[in-house]
Structure formats: structure tokens, C-alpha cells
């Protein structure tokens, strides 16, 4: 893993407008899906992004790829801010940044064959004069990619409905690799698959990272999956990042009360330890993201909240060992 930063996200916000009225749409509020986050990914690194459903993980990936135009903030790929890029520059930037989607069936065109789906990115860039490649070379590339992800090239003329869920996700992986990207945004790529198939896809992604020197933003709500594949982990809650740390350090010594609660829910494969350990049950529901907050985003459910948390938003600071946390409990320890 290199020390060079491949991706930098700075103060990223994505607020979706809430409108009222059938004819004259009037803005009556916003949904703060992502509300000001910062993180980075180095070359050859896998950053796991974990949190409850609805916390803004997938929206973050879509903002990075510019499928959603962020409300504000910067997304720097190798130092270039793509939020301000023109159409041609953005298309060029996307050659080095591809997505693997959550649903391996919905993300594939049912009217296209597997070979056509994998070849489509190559064909698009060829048609726009950004890739010098012949039809024969495209065919050879498709066959090579299918073999690389564990599919026989003899299946290239089959349609998505003729494949299993795991095979369809392999097609999605092959499509993402077609343009030789450096960064893969994997949006819960195994959550829709059977457990036995999940491990195969995870091992495939790990092998591809080593072979092709890829970097991943790997999104999941399964903490065991995140631990298996990630070098570092970022914990997200209500559109904010609560904690970022090395994978081993986070699972060994979580600092933020939300991270502690999440990890307490992960089953332990030892019946004796599982029976004796205490699980943390958070009170209340996740607050609505349509309200601007002026206190800690986790305040309403935090079992360790105190007065300072009520009127202040803790910054994400380094508390030592490249372990970052947004919690006044540990801010005060650093100040001492």
C-alpha cells in the first residue's frame, strides 16, 4: 500500500430537497443524507464504510462517482476536484473510478448479453474517441475479463436471467474492471447474495486488489464482512462519520459509543462467550435527517452523553495512532 492519496473527500454534503405542491413545486425542507464528511483512500488501500441502513453510505459513493451532484464539498481524484469538472473531464476521470452495485440483477440490462454488458464501457469510450481499441480487441478483452472473475467466456452470449446471483455479480465486477480503473466503489456488493457465495465474491475482490493494485471504498452494514476485507474502517451515522481507524484497532478498541454498540451486536462463534457477554441496546429510533442539528448527531441515543454534547458538534480528531473519533469523551482526554 502506497502513501499517495488516490481519493480525498472534503466537507462533502448531499442535501435532497423536499417539495410540496402538485403543480408549483415549493421547497419546504431538505433531507441531509450526507452532512459534511472527510476521509481519504490511499493507493492500494481498502476503506470500509459501515453503518445502519439510511445513514448515507450509498449516497456517499454516488456523490464520489458524481451520479449525485453534491450540494457542497470536494471530491479529489489524484488531486483533481471532479465536482467542478466539465462533462469531458468527468468522463475521463470515471475511467479510473468504477462502481459495483448492490443488486446484481437490477444493475444489469436484461436485454443485453453478458459479453455486451462487459464490453459497453469500452464501446462508449471508443465511440467518444477516448479509447483506441478495435472490435477484435474488445472481444478479446471481454473474454479475458470473464475468465479473470471466474466465468467461462463461453457464457458471453447468455442473458442475466440465465446466471445465478453470484455469477451476475461477477459480471458486474468484470464490467467495473473493463477500463482498468484504480478505484472501485463497491456499494454493498455481497449483501444480496447467499452467505456461501459472499465469501467467494470477497475472496475474488481481495485477489483482484492484489493482482491489479486496486483501491476500494467498500460499503457494507455487515461488520464481519468489513473486518475481513478492509485495511481501515469508517463508521457512519446520520450522514456523519463518527470514527475512523485501522481495522484491527477498531475491532479491538472501539472508542465511539455508537461503534461500541454496533460491535456488541456482532455474533461471536463461541457459545460460552456469546451467552455471557452484554449486548448494548440503543434506546429510541434514528432521528430524522430532515432537521439541521447543532449538537452531537448521536446525542439522542448515546448512553454516555453529557452536557457538552447537547449544544456542540464534536469534530473528527486524531486521538493517537491515526485513530480518529468524533466524541467529546475522547476529545477531553486528548486535551489533558
Amino acid at each position: 500500500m502506497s502513501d499517495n492519496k488516490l481519493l480525498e473527500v472534503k466537507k462533502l454534503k448531499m442535501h435532497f430537497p423536499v417539495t410540496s405542491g402538485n403543480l408549483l413545486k415549493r421547497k419546504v425542507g431538505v433531507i441531509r443524507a450526507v452532512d459534511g464528511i472527510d476521509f481519504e483512500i490511499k493507493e492500494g488501500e481498502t476503506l470500509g464504510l459501515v453503518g445502519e441502513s439510511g445513514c448515507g453510505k450509498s449516497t456517499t459513493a454516488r456523490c464520489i462517482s458524481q451520479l449525485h451532484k453534491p450540494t457542497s464539498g470536494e471530491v479529489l481524484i489524484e488531486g483533481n476536484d471532479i465536482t467542478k469538472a466539465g462533462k469531458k473531464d468527468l468522463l475521463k476521470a470515471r475511467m479510473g473510478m468504477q462502481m459495483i452495485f448492490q443488486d446484481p440483477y437490477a444493475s444489469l440490462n436484461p436485454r443485453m448479453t453478458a459479453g455486451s454488458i462487459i464490453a459497453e464501457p469500452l464501446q462508449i469510450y471508443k465511440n467518444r474517441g477516448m479509447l483506441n481499441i478495435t472490435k477484435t480487441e474488445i472481444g478479446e478483452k471481454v473474454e479475458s475479463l470473464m475468465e479473470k472473475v471466474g466465468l467461462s467466456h463461453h457464457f458471453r452470449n447468455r442473458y442475466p436471467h440465465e446466471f445465478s446471483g453470484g455469477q451476475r455479480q461477477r459480471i458486474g465486477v468484470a464490467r467495473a474492471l473493463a477500463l482498468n480503473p484504480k478505484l472501485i466503489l463497491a456499494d454493498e456488493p455481497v449483501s444480496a447474495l447467499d452467505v456461501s457465495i459472499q465469501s467467494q465474491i470477497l475472496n475474488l475482490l481481495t485477489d483482484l486488489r492484489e493482482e491489479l493494485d486496486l483501491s476500494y471504498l467498500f460499503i457494507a452494514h455487515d461488520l464481519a464482512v468489513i473486518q475481513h476485507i478492509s485495511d481501515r474502517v469508517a463508521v457512519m451515522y446520520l450522514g456523519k462519520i463518527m470514527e475512523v481507524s485501522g481495522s484491527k484497532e477498531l475491532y479491538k478498541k472501539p472508542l465511539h459509543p455508537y461503534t461500541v454498540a454496533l460491535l456488541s451486536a456482532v455474533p461471536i462463534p463461541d457459545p460460552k462467550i456469546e451467552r455471557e457477554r452484554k449486548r448494548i441496546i440503543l434506546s429510541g429510533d434514528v432521528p430524522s435527517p430532515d432537521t439541521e442539528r447543532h449538537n452531537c448527531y448521536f446525542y439522542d441515543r448515546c448512553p454516555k452523553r453529557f452536557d457538552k454534547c447537547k449544544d456542540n458538534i464534536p469534530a473528527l480528531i486524531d486521538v493517537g495512532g491515526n485513530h480518529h473519533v468524533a466524541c467529546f469523551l475522547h476529545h477531553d482526554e486528548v486535551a489533558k
Side-chain angles (χ1 to χ4, degrees), residues 114-124 138-139 142 145 156 175 178:
S116 298
I117 289 170
I118 298 169
E120 188 176 25
L122 298 166
Q123 195 64 53
I124 289 172
I138 289 177
V142 168
L145 286 168
R156 61 178 298 171
R175 177 179 59 185

Side-chain angles (χ1 to χ4, degrees), residues 165-204:
Q167 289 175 323
R168 285 195 287 263
Q169 195 59 290
R170 289 175 189 270
I171 295 171
V173 173
R175 177 179 59 185
L177 296 175
L179 295 170
N180 300 319
K182 293 183 178 180
L183 174 66
I184 298 290
L185 307 174
D187 184 10
E188 303 209 34
V190 297
S191 64
L193 305 177
D194 294 338
V195 174
S196 59
I197 306 300
Q198 287 185 10
S199 61
Q200 295 178 21
I201 299 299
L202 289 173
N203 290 335
L204 171 65

Side-chain angles (χ1 to χ4, degrees), residues 15-286:
H15 295 173
F16 294 100
V18 178
T19 58
S20 177
N22 295 325
L23 184 60
L24 298 175
K25 298 291 185 181
R26 182 170 57 90
K27 183 177 176 181
V28 295
V30 294
I31 298 296
R32 303 168 188 275
V34 179
D35 207 19
I37 61 173
D38 301 84
F39 63 86
E40 63 186 41
I41 299 177
K42 297 177 181 178
E43 292 180 359
E45 180 184 36
T46 297
L47 175 68
L49 187 59
V50 67
E52 294 173 280
S53 295
C55 70
K57 305 186 300 296
S58 295
T59 303
T60 298
R62 288 175 174 269
C63 286
I64 293 171
S65 63
Q66 302 299 290
L67 292 177
H68 292 322
K69 195 67 178 176
T71 304
S72 63
E74 297 178 321
V75 176
L76 286 80
I77 303 292
E78 296 184 308
N80 300 313
D81 185 5
I82 63 173
T83 63
K84 299 179 177 64
K87 190 174 181 179
K88 187 173 182 179
D89 289 337
L90 180 58
L91 196 64
K92 186 177 179 180
R94 280 177 172 159
M95 289 186 73
M97 172 183 59
Q98 293 290 305
M99 281 193 73
I100 301 172
F101 296 93
Q102 178 176 356
D103 189 335
Y105 190 73
S107 64
L108 303 180
N109 189 331
R111 302 187 182 211
M112 294 175 67
T113 63
S116 298
I117 289 170
I118 298 169
E120 188 176 25
L122 298 166
Q123 195 64 53
I124 289 172
Y125 279 84
K126 177 189 175 183
N127 293 343
R128 301 197 181 189
M130 302 179 71
L131 193 63
N132 185 19
I133 190 170
T134 66
K135 185 176 180 180
T136 301
E137 289 172 335
I138 289 177
E140 292 172 351
K141 178 81 170 179
V142 168
E143 291 186 3
S144 173
L145 286 168
M146 292 187 73
E147 297 290 347
K148 192 180 292 290
V149 300
L151 292 172
S152 171
H153 68 269
H154 297 295
F155 295 165
R156 61 178 298 171
N157 292 321
R158 292 188 180 184
Y159 290 87
H161 71 272
E162 299 179 85
F163 293 94
S164 67
Q167 289 175 323
R168 285 195 287 263
Q169 195 59 290
R170 289 175 189 270
I171 295 171
V173 173
R175 177 179 59 185
L177 296 175
L179 295 170
N180 300 319
K182 293 183 178 180
L183 174 66
I184 298 290
L185 307 174
D187 184 10
E188 303 209 34
V190 297
S191 64
L193 305 177
D194 294 338
V195 174
S196 59
I197 306 300
Q198 287 185 10
S199 61
Q200 295 178 21
I201 299 299
L202 289 173
N203 290 335
L204 171 65
L205 293 173
T206 302
D207 292 342
L208 290 171
R209 183 182 72 168
E210 299 299 325
E211 180 182 347
L212 304 175
D213 196 25
L214 297 170
S215 300
Y216 291 125
L217 173 64
F218 193 95
I219 297 170
H221 58 264
D222 188 327
L223 286 155
V225 168
I226 288 288
Q227 183 181 24
H228 174 77
I229 200 169
S230 303
D231 298 309
R232 289 188 303 129
V233 180
V235 181
M236 198 168 185
Y237 180 81
L238 205 63
K240 277 282 194 182
I241 290 180
M242 301 286 105
E243 187 168 1
V244 184
S245 175
S247 179
K248 292 182 180 179
E249 173 70 15
L250 187 83
Y251 284 76
K252 183 179 179 181
K253 188 181 178 182
L255 298 180
H256 198 284
Y258 178 61
T259 310
V260 174
L262 281 181
L263 291 176
S264 77
V266 178
I268 297 175
D270 185 323
K272 185 177 180 181
I273 297 176
E274 181 67 23
R275 282 194 301 268
E276 293 176 354
R277 75 175 181 143
K278 183 179 179 182
R279 182 177 175 182
I280 300 172
I281 306 296
L282 296 175
S283 61
D285 298 320
V286 179

